[in-house]
Amino acid sequence: RRVLFRSGLVLLAGSCATVPQGKLIDPQDLTRGTYIISTPGHYRLGGDAIASGLASGSPAIRIASSNVTLDLGGHALSVRPTDNRGNAGIEIHGVSNVTVTHGTLSDIGGAGVLLVCDLEPPARRCANMAFTQLDLRNVGRQGEYGDLGNVFNRPFSGGIVMFGRSTAVPVTGGAWENSIDGVLVSGVTVRNDAGQKHAFSGSPPAGGMNGLTFASVSNLRVEESSVSGMASNDAAACIFLGRTRTVLVRRLTCNGATGERNANGLDSMANVLKPLAIKKNYDVRVEDSSFADIHATGARGNEALGVELNGEKFVFDRVTVSDVVNDSTTADGNRAVGIQIV
């Protein structure tokens, strides 16, 4: 399965390389509201762009067609401060064979990239997605996104956020289907400046500020990437996995996740709902990666965990965990752990 998936990505990349320059996106087009890509092809951003005129909750760019390559051309895409109400940079919904590459997404209140894919009908499931050579800076400070209703009951924000849906997950084994299948994240940097904290709403707040969020994704590969500076008044993590299956995390550097309640390098939510909901991950390999400066702060500090995985069939090879700190002095401040398997 892994070999087929990797081969598929190579073919996808090769096909993109043979396509002409394709459609040039004029940066001025992004000042008139959401730019919608509705037909297959190769699209290239023609220069640095500041998106404006966005409706509340609408992204700067929406990819609404399968078989699309969006090449940012080495340029930066940001959102005008007065338009920044949690709008995502790039939104992808219910399509397949999409590549986003080679550029910067910066100063975006919502997620840098938001991918949503439902389970039904099967023809609308998403496959073969690639996100490469991207630099995400100061993203996810305001946007809050709920998943499709069958994994978590809390919002998430951050750099790249992917929400799929799963068929029923068994207590043991990997026999279930996810609506997102085949994702490559390579050469991606997510970094927020000090003091850029996401203040989740609610009382008490309940949400996760993550560099990379994956829910209901199969055949996921994250490599040669880094996350730093995630901070939240609730939970923060460099990478979050929920109901993922067949995952390789290789050469990931995590530095700095600070949450007032929970802080994690690699996070996954345990089975805590009643009645019990299966939220496990299956077949995850983490290698040549490091997780450092994981910090739970204040009286709400419940746990600081370098790596937490819920599920079965995990492999850790050459993984470094350091500086995992829980500041809490209350009874709730009960964990500061390097690696925890639930």
Side-chain angles (χ1 to χ4, degrees), residues 13 28 45 58 69 75 89 107 110 115 205 242 261 321 339:
Q28 289 301 310
L45 185 61
S58 296
T69 293
H75 302 297
D107 298 298
L115 167 62
R261 184 175 63 88
V321 178
I339 297 177

Side-chain angles (χ1 to χ4, degrees), residues 8 24 61 74 84 107-108 118 132 136 156 176 226 252 299:
L24 185 68
I61 297 175
N84 231 330
D107 298 298
I108 295 172
D118 213 332
T132 64
L136 284 68
F156 289 83
W176 82 86
S226 64
L252 174 71

Side-chain angles (χ1 to χ4, degrees), residues 74-332:
H75 302 297
L77 169 63
S78 60
V79 175
R80 188 175 66 178
T82 54
D83 286 68
N84 231 330
R85 295 158 291 179
N87 305 71
I90 299 170
E91 179 183 284
I92 306 165
H93 198 159
V95 297
S96 294
N97 303 319
V98 171
T99 295
V100 179
T101 188
H102 191 211
T104 298
L105 299 167
S106 68
D107 298 298
I108 295 172
V113 177
L114 174 65
L115 167 62
V116 179
C117 189
D118 213 332
L119 189 66
E120 300 297 343
R124 295 289 288 173
R125 299 180 189 179
C126 306
N128 299 325
M129 319 297 288
F131 304 90
T132 64
Q133 304 305 312
L134 298 174
D135 185 9
L136 284 68
R137 306 176 186 174
N138 296 332
V139 296
R141 295 167 295 165
Q142 296 170 298
E144 298 183 12
Y145 308 96
D147 77 313
L148 295 177
N150 71 330
V151 183
F152 311 109
N153 289 338
R154 55 167 35 188
F156 289 83
S157 191
I160 295 178
V161 178
M162 297 186 188
F163 285 136
R165 197 188 290 270
S166 304
T167 58
V169 178
V171 175
T172 60
W176 82 86
E177 293 184 67
N178 289 325
S179 61
I180 303 174
D181 187 3
V183 173
L184 172 67
V185 175
S186 179
V188 171
T189 299
V190 185
R191 47 179 172 154
N192 283 2
D193 294 339
Q196 296 279 356
K197 177 191 290 186
H198 185 117
F200 281 90
S201 57
S203 180
M209 173 62 168
N210 309 319
L212 304 169
T213 299
F214 306 100
S216 297
V217 179
S218 296
N219 295 304
L220 166 66
R221 183 167 177 169
V222 179
E223 62 182 20
E224 307 290 355
S225 296
S226 64
V227 178
S228 61
M230 298 300 103
S232 168
N233 65 336
D234 195 61
C238 289
I239 179 171
F240 180 92
L241 302 178
R243 278 188 177 173
T244 60
R245 193 184 67 187
T246 310
V247 177
L248 174 63
V249 177
R250 172 183 292 168
R251 292 186 287 277
L252 174 71
T253 301
C254 164
N255 195 320
T258 303
E260 292 182 7
R261 184 175 63 88
N262 292 341
N264 302 73
L266 190 158
D267 186 18
S268 70
M269 189 177 292
N271 294 321
V272 294
L273 291 184
K274 297 180 181 179
L276 183 66
I278 305 299
K279 299 176 179 177
K280 70 176 185 179
N281 301 280
Y282 183 83
D283 187 17
V284 178
R285 182 181 183 93
V286 184
E287 62 182 40
D288 294 318
S289 297
S290 63
F291 303 88
D293 192 19
I294 313 302
H295 198 173
T297 63
R300 296 184 67 236
N302 179 56
E303 62 181 25
L305 302 172
V307 173
E308 178 192 30
L309 273 172
N310 172 51
E312 54 187 315
K313 195 178 179 184
F314 304 141
V315 175
F316 301 96
D317 188 5
R318 300 180 300 279
V319 175
T320 301
V321 178
S322 60
D323 298 317
V324 179
V325 179
N326 190 338
D327 284 346
S328 178
T329 59
T330 70
D332 289 335

